[in-house]
Amino acid sequence: MSTQAVATEALDAVRALSTNRNLCMIPGPIEFHEEVLEAMKVGATSHVDPKFINIFGESLELFRKVLFSKEGQPFIITASGTLGWDMVAANLIEKDENVLVVSNGYFGDNFGECLKNYGAQVQYLPSEFGSRPTLQKIEQALNEKKYKVITLTHVDTSTGVLADIEGVAKLVRQKFPNTLVVVDGVCSVGCENIKMDDWGVDVVLTGSQKALGAPPGLSLLVASQRAISVFEKRTTPPSSYYAGWNRWIPIMRNYEARKASYFATPAVQNVMALNVALKRLEAFGIENNFAKHREVSDSFKDTIESWGLQLVPVSRDVAAHAMTAVYYPDNVTAADFLPKIAARGVTIAGGIHKENASKYFRIGHMGISVVEPQRQHITRVLDVVKESLSECGYKI
Amino acid sequence: MSTQAVATEALDAVRALSTNRNLCMIPGPIEFHEEVLEAMKVGATSHVDPKFINIFGESLELFRKVLFSKEGQPFIITASGTLGWDMVAANLIEKDENVLVVSNGYFGDNFGECLKNYGAQVQYLPSEFGSRPTLQKIEQALNEKKYKVITLTHVDTSTGVLADIEGVAKLVRQKFPNTLVVVDGVCSVGCENIKMDDWGVDVVLTGSQKALGAPPGLSLLVASQRAISVFEKRTTPPSSYYAGWNRWIPIMRNYEARKASYFATPAVQNVMALNVALKRLEAFGIENNFAKHREVSDSFKDTIESWGLQLVPVSRDVAAHAMTAVYYPDNVTAADFLPKIAARGVTIAGGIHKENASKYFRIGHMGISVVEPQRQHITRVLDVVKESLSECGYKI
């Protein structure tokens, strides 16, 4: 076979995936706008090309705005969102410092694992599956020991439970002013309300492929000036090289000042796609985006409940607006149900919370699937869930 | 302005960059084949979609073949190539273990910095700008102390100097069998000959955007089974979370076994583009690719020297085939020369070696620019260099 023939066959496999693609209704990666994807195929561009530097700098500024931060230091690093945990652990924690990890599920637990990996003394404040600890419980835990950092998973993608960031941040700022408030916003940034400055949040981290609406590949984080000065007062160097803010702060500042600089080659195309996604978000209005996600989430959950199904979050006020986690009804199993969904051209997610993985499924509703109802993603996924349940013998 | 208007304006900026794009002749990111870029705009796809798992698994297998490794453990991680250094340091080094860093420039020096960051005792074996240490010098250094790891930068992108991987690896295997041979192949993998198994190399790391011919965003590494067993015998956990092989080995093995698993969401689109690039490389033939890069590099350097210019590498046998580093002639400065190149629609790179940055420039010649002469990238960059030198007052 000639080079061209083999190569075209290679692309054919990828194209086949593209044209017969399932509608992607997992809690990230989410469906992307065509203009965002268009930016992914910009040809080779130097990471120090002035036009690219401008796009990068602009993206940093736009990302800061998404979090209502005026002075925070934004980072856009080439990695999965997970690297955000390493950035927190390796830059804000020195050996044996105390961290309170408020965990509502799989991702909270793993953030704790990451912190331990870098030497933190981690105290978990767990909660029952589907619930979150009360503010009183959190205050009680903070009173027991001096914590350098408290971490919260805004939306634990494993359970769909929403943390009360505003309540916790305001409590900490008032009563434990030296404790840093760190928010894993992987499944929340862009679609759940976060006011970094007003609430006194110190770090928010996320990935590009959730409510920001860009393909995966970028780890995004904003650190408050309070967090940056805690970082600057370290007595030991950051315990990571690639995730070290000492390497990245000068680079990010240079990008914002539209100056060329280099530490590691960024995923140029992904940054361009993120830029388009952030501009679309700004144009739609971030508050509008929050409202639209709340509205669609509410009606989505109403429909699910009207079918006699039970949500994983114990009540609506602890339920995320980016996704819905739902228990299987009696006599319906993941092994039976999920392939029926896939066969109908839609991808949703199974459970991933350790002990409860087999008991529930998860559907993401973020980005264009939410704000562009004409695409009918929401009605389609609901139809497919209904049909598949029915085929499994569950009558609605 | 309406959402659509603002958003389209956002894409326009990116499109403008695309249509008025300079020919990218830096030593990476390199110019990509259209089919590779086409794969970058595949719509949202779950990272556990069976078709994507197949593409990922296949990419791991193809990458292993590029390095002529039969049993090595490949890793494809979402990050800049730089994370490969963290993977080596965090997984193969425990506190105070000795590493010999053979450095021909900026990248070798920084690899050493990364190793120190994770607790290694680093001994540098430096060399004069433009040269590399002799095998005898390396043997002498290895005799002075017991080293757990020796690192070599195959092509130091800052100088264009080529290391003798085969010679060093064979020496180490014969005389220092417990020392691991680690190769930074960022600017070599795919276009310089590397026979991992035959030569006894333990780790080769690279990034997606160099001679493999895919966009930036993926850090690639193959570890020999010897390296994996050294890793498995650690007495302390890996000193990184995101770069920890304990996290990634099960994931990579599952992808190869075409099984779904999850640690962090990979850059799905970038992996698809890499897959197309690797299939193109396989179809062309990896040995053919080496030969073509040697041939084009030789004639490129002949032309440069025929103009009376001097190469940075002290002799042809220590010069890389992926790039050429060239001293400015007397009375030509970077500030004068580089903008003249850019104005002609081509991007090349300035110097980045600390003390010598202002004395030379760098041109990359890899991938489609080399193997598809009909694109006339090589002739174009040479023409533009010639014209710009002439405009700077240097007569050829």
Side-chain angles (χ1 to χ4, degrees):
Chain A
M1 221 181 322
S2 76
T3 304
Q4 194 51 41
V6 177
T8 301
E9 199 179 87
L11 184 60
D12 281 350
V14 168
R15 272 199 193 123
L17 202 153
S18 192
T19 46
N20 302 317
R21 199 172 60 81
N22 276 8
L23 181 68
C24 194
M25 298 302 284
I26 61 176
I30 67 166
E31 289 287 328
F32 314 121
H33 194 279
E34 293 74 8
E35 292 196 347
V36 172
L37 280 178
E38 191 67 29
M40 283 290 275
K41 59 167 286 199
V42 172
T45 302
S46 168
H47 46 293
V48 292
D49 184 304
K51 283 178 270 183
F52 175 68
I53 289 172
N54 191 49
I55 284 173
F56 202 124
E58 201 174 63
S59 304
L60 290 166
E61 291 159 359
L62 287 165
F63 179 52
R64 193 194 276 116
K65 282 191 202 169
V66 169
L67 296 167
F68 295 86
S69 164
K70 281 207 170 58
E71 306 275 321
Q73 175 59 55
F75 297 85
I76 300 175
I77 312 291
T78 300
S80 304
T82 306
L83 189 84
W85 293 347
D86 290 67
M87 280 201 264
V88 170
N91 294 296
L92 293 179
I93 299 298
E94 298 188 70
K95 194 164 164 35
D96 291 331
E97 289 181 332
N98 292 319
V99 182
L100 180 64
V101 172
V102 182
S103 176
N104 309 319
Y106 176 92
F107 290 93
D109 290 355
N110 284 7
F111 194 173
E113 284 303 304
C114 175
L115 287 155
K116 284 189 215 169
N117 206 121
Y118 289 96
Q121 291 294 332
V122 169
Q123 178 68 50
Y124 283 105
L125 183 62
S127 45
E128 290 294 301
F129 183 65
S131 71
R132 67 187 189 195
T134 60
L135 264 184
Q136 289 87 329
K137 276 235 165 162
I138 291 173
E139 183 170 357
Q140 201 180 316
L142 286 168
N143 270 319
E144 277 164 19
K145 212 187 277 179
K146 215 177 145 183
Y147 287 102
K148 186 174 191 186
V149 166
I150 177 174
T151 75
L152 298 130
T153 311
H154 198 175
V155 172
D156 201 299
T157 319
S158 73
T159 61
V161 170
L162 184 74
D164 174 12
I165 303 303
E166 181 176 7
V168 176
K170 287 182 170 173
L171 166 76
V172 172
R173 286 283 72 81
Q174 203 190 338
K175 300 199 177 168
F176 310 92
N178 294 322
T179 300
L180 296 174
V181 177
V182 170
V183 175
D184 173 343
V186 165
C187 197
S188 79
V189 170
C191 71
E192 302 279 5
N193 188 17
I194 305 177
K195 301 281 186 314
M196 268 192 86
D197 288 358
D198 287 358
W199 301 350
V201 173
D202 294 297
V203 171
V204 179
L205 62 96
T206 193
S208 47
Q209 79 278 13
K210 306 266 179 171
L212 295 178
L218 299 173
S219 174
L220 297 100
L221 185 149
V222 173
S224 69
Q225 285 305 321
R226 189 169 39 239
I228 295 294
S229 62
V230 166
F231 164 72
E232 284 167 348
K233 285 180 198 130
R234 289 180 68 93
T235 57
T236 56
S239 46
S240 168
Y241 182 78
Y242 187 67
W245 286 352
N246 51 338
R247 315 283 168 189
W248 286 115
I249 288 173
I251 306 295
M252 295 298 142
R253 288 184 183 158
N254 279 340
Y255 271 121
E256 268 203 82
R258 309 303 193 260
K259 282 191 265 180
S261 65
Y262 172 76
F263 167 59
T265 306
V268 171
Q269 282 70 15
N270 303 60
V271 171
M272 291 183 188
L274 174 73
N275 181 268
V276 174
L278 288 171
K279 279 190 181 156
R280 292 189 59 82
L281 190 55
E282 189 186 42
F284 186 73
I286 184 74
E287 293 282 6
N288 293 340
N289 209 49
F290 297 158
K292 194 74 190 161
H293 279 76
R294 274 194 301 272
E295 175 198 321
V296 169
S297 173
D298 286 347
S299 94
F300 193 93
K301 289 174 173 64
D302 287 345
T303 304
I304 292 284
E305 290 192 319
S306 75
W307 296 343
L309 298 177
Q310 195 192 334
L311 305 181
V312 169
V314 292
S315 65
R316 284 293 184 94
D317 58 322
V318 303
H321 304 97
M323 61 172 289
T324 298
V326 187
Y327 285 108
Y328 292 113
D330 290 345
N331 306 319
V332 174
T333 65
D336 194 18
F337 177 70
L338 293 175
K340 290 185 171 61
I341 298 279
R344 288 177 165 83
V346 177
T347 303
I348 67 169
I352 53 167
H353 185 273
K354 282 158 198 158
E355 297 88 44
N356 300 287
S358 64
K359 297 181 189 161
Y360 68 105
F361 59 92
R362 299 172 300 142
I363 296 171
H365 30 77
M366 286 175 258
I368 56 169
S369 297
V370 164
V371 301
E372 299 184 5
Q374 66 276 23
R375 293 179 186 263
Q376 302 195 296
H377 292 177
I378 301 297
T379 49
R380 187 162 159 216
V381 71
L382 282 170
D383 284 350
V384 158
V385 167
K386 193 176 180 180
E387 289 163 27
S388 302
L389 283 172
S390 165
E391 210 189 326
C392 288
Y394 180 79
K395 296 299 167 211
I396 291 164
Chain B
M1 222 180 324
S2 76
T3 304
Q4 194 51 45
V6 177
T8 302
E9 198 179 89
L11 184 60
D12 280 352
V14 168
R15 272 200 193 121
L17 203 154
S18 191
T19 46
N20 301 317
R21 201 171 58 80
N22 276 9
L23 181 69
C24 194
M25 299 301 285
I26 61 177
I30 66 167
E31 288 287 328
F32 315 121
H33 194 279
E34 293 74 9
E35 292 197 347
V36 171
L37 279 178
E38 190 68 26
M40 283 291 273
K41 60 167 285 202
V42 172
T45 303
S46 167
H47 45 295
V48 292
D49 183 304
K51 283 178 270 185
F52 175 69
I53 289 172
N54 190 51
I55 285 172
F56 202 126
E58 200 175 64
S59 303
L60 289 166
E61 290 158 1
L62 286 164
F63 180 50
R64 193 193 275 113
K65 281 191 202 168
V66 169
L67 296 166
F68 295 86
S69 163
K70 280 207 171 58
E71 307 274 322
Q73 175 60 55
F75 298 83
I76 299 175
I77 313 290
T78 300
S80 303
T82 306
L83 189 84
W85 293 347
D86 290 68
M87 281 202 264
V88 169
N91 293 297
L92 293 179
I93 299 299
E94 297 188 70
K95 196 164 162 32
D96 291 332
E97 289 181 332
N98 291 320
V99 182
L100 180 65
V101 173
V102 181
S103 177
N104 309 320
Y106 177 91
F107 290 94
D109 290 354
N110 284 7
F111 195 173
E113 284 303 304
C114 175
L115 288 156
K116 284 189 212 167
N117 204 121
Y118 289 95
Q121 293 293 333
V122 169
Q123 179 68 51
Y124 283 104
L125 183 63
S127 44
E128 290 295 301
F129 184 66
S131 71
R132 68 186 189 195
T134 59
L135 263 185
Q136 289 85 328
K137 275 235 163 166
I138 292 173
E139 183 169 358
Q140 199 180 317
L142 286 168
N143 270 321
E144 277 165 19
K145 211 186 281 182
K146 215 175 145 184
Y147 287 103
K148 186 174 190 187
V149 166
I150 177 174
T151 74
L152 299 132
T153 311
H154 198 174
V155 173
D156 201 300
T157 320
S158 73
T159 60
V161 170
L162 184 74
D164 174 13
I165 303 302
E166 181 176 7
V168 176
K170 288 181 170 172
L171 165 76
V172 172
R173 287 282 71 81
Q174 202 190 340
K175 300 199 177 166
F176 310 92
N178 294 323
T179 300
L180 295 174
V181 177
V182 170
V183 175
D184 175 342
V186 165
C187 198
S188 79
V189 170
C191 71
E192 301 280 3
N193 188 17
I194 305 178
K195 301 279 186 317
M196 268 193 87
D197 288 358
D198 287 359
W199 301 350
V201 174
D202 293 296
V203 172
V204 179
L205 62 96
T206 191
S208 47
Q209 78 279 12
K210 307 269 178 168
L212 296 178
L218 299 172
S219 174
L220 297 100
L221 184 149
V222 173
S224 70
Q225 285 305 322
R226 187 168 41 236
I228 295 294
S229 62
V230 166
F231 164 72
E232 285 167 347
K233 285 182 197 127
R234 289 180 69 92
T235 58
T236 55
S239 47
S240 168
Y241 182 79
Y242 187 67
W245 285 352
N246 51 339
R247 315 284 167 188
W248 286 116
I249 288 173
I251 306 296
M252 295 299 142
R253 288 185 182 157
N254 279 340
Y255 271 121
E256 268 203 84
R258 308 302 193 261
K259 282 191 266 180
S261 65
Y262 172 75
F263 168 57
T265 306
V268 171
Q269 282 70 15
N270 302 60
V271 171
M272 292 184 188
L274 174 72
N275 180 268
V276 174
L278 288 171
K279 279 189 181 156
R280 293 190 59 83
L281 190 55
E282 189 186 42
F284 187 74
I286 183 73
E287 293 282 8
N288 292 341
N289 209 50
F290 297 157
K292 193 75 192 160
H293 279 76
R294 274 193 302 271
E295 174 198 320
V296 170
S297 173
D298 287 348
S299 94
F300 192 93
K301 289 173 173 64
D302 288 345
T303 305
I304 292 284
E305 289 190 322
S306 76
W307 296 343
L309 298 177
Q310 195 193 334
L311 305 182
V312 170
V314 291
S315 65
R316 284 293 184 96
D317 58 325
V318 303
H321 304 98
M323 62 173 287
T324 299
V326 187
Y327 285 107
Y328 292 112
D330 290 344
N331 305 321
V332 174
T333 66
D336 194 19
F337 176 71
L338 294 176
K340 291 185 170 60
I341 298 278
R344 288 176 165 83
V346 177
T347 304
I348 67 168
I352 54 167
H353 184 273
K354 283 158 198 158
E355 297 88 45
N356 299 288
S358 63
K359 297 182 191 160
Y360 69 106
F361 59 93
R362 299 172 301 143
I363 296 171
H365 30 77
M366 287 176 258
I368 56 169
S369 297
V370 164
V371 300
E372 300 184 5
Q374 66 275 24
R375 293 179 186 263
Q376 303 195 294
H377 293 177
I378 300 297
T379 49
R380 188 162 158 217
V381 71
L382 283 170
D383 284 350
V384 158
V385 166
K386 193 176 182 181
E387 288 163 27
S388 303
L389 283 172
S390 163
E391 209 188 326
C392 288
Y394 181 79
K395 298 297 168 212
I396 292 164

